[in-house]
Amino acid sequence: MSQRKYELVYLFKPETPEQTMTDMHTQVETIVARLGGTIEKTENWGRRKLAYEIGHHKEGVYVLEVILGGGELMKELDRRLKVSDDLMRHLICRVDEDETVAERSRSKRVEGSRRRRIARGLPPDRQPGEGPGNTDGDDDRDDMSHGGEN
């Protein structure tokens, strides 16, 4: 089974007791462990205003779980969360594909930068104190853009 990265966000009613939220997290942990996945990260985002009313609720408590697992695991989690009375909504998104695309774009950008630097006779990678990340206050462009002397 291939391990993929998913984000599970679920939304509790604002009056849900802390114990019920803990029980839901424990239930998710149990399902994930039983089906061979792992929980990479859990974040309780707390009580937030909703973009639109759900039922008569204007607020909800958000929880994020980052899970490594397969499709069967996500189907089982989805099935279990659908029947939970304590949740208003839940959403499962696969995020490993987006991270792969971002990494590919980043590596293409770095490779292009290295080629251009070599073509100009510079070392392939930026040196300390070079470029926009320069924070030593010695940047001539800053002086000129603010009316400094030439």
Side-chain angles (χ1 to χ4, degrees):
M1 177 191 341
S2 65
Q3 292 282 321
R4 297 183 183 225
K5 190 181 221 177
Y6 295 90
E7 287 183 350
L8 163 63
V9 178
Y10 43 93
L11 178 62
F12 289 101
K13 297 174 184 172
E15 65 274 0
T16 305
E18 190 70 34
Q19 182 59 42
T20 305
M21 290 185 232
T22 305
D23 292 344
M24 178 60 72
H25 174 69
T26 305
Q27 183 180 359
V28 168
E29 274 184 326
T30 305
I31 295 168
V32 169
R34 186 172 43 109
L35 293 175
T38 55
I39 295 181
E40 196 173 87
K41 175 172 70 170
T42 301
E43 288 181 14
N44 185 337
W45 290 347
R47 191 178 190 138
R48 305 240 174 157
K49 186 177 179 198
L50 302 176
Y52 55 90
E53 273 190 42
I54 299 176
H56 63 280
H57 299 287
K58 294 181 181 182
E59 292 184 331
V61 179
Y62 288 83
V63 177
L64 167 74
E65 308 263 2
V66 178
I67 301 171
L68 296 175
E72 290 301 315
L73 168 60
M74 293 305 123
K75 285 179 189 174
E76 178 64 17
L77 279 174
D78 189 46
R79 186 182 73 77
R80 292 282 185 94
L81 294 173
K82 279 181 183 175
V83 297
S84 174
D85 293 335
D86 300 316
L87 294 180
M88 290 194 288
R89 296 278 193 276
H90 72 279
L91 177 68
I92 301 173
C93 292
R94 183 174 155 201
V95 294
D96 60 345
E97 214 169 76
D98 294 338
E99 290 173 350
T100 304
V101 169
E103 182 58 37
R104 195 176 312 130
S105 297
R106 187 177 308 114
S107 65
K108 280 183 183 179
R109 193 171 52 247
V110 167
E111 191 57 40
S113 173
R114 285 182 176 162
R115 275 196 314 274
R116 288 188 303 274
R117 288 180 63 84
I118 290 170
R120 292 189 313 222
L122 297 171
D125 296 316
R126 288 186 175 200
Q127 304 301 310
E130 179 181 6
N134 186 4
T135 58
D136 61 3
D138 223 9
D139 194 355
D140 291 337
R141 288 178 293 161
D142 257 354
D143 294 339
M144 294 184 69
S145 67
H146 290 35
E149 293 179 26
N150 290 346

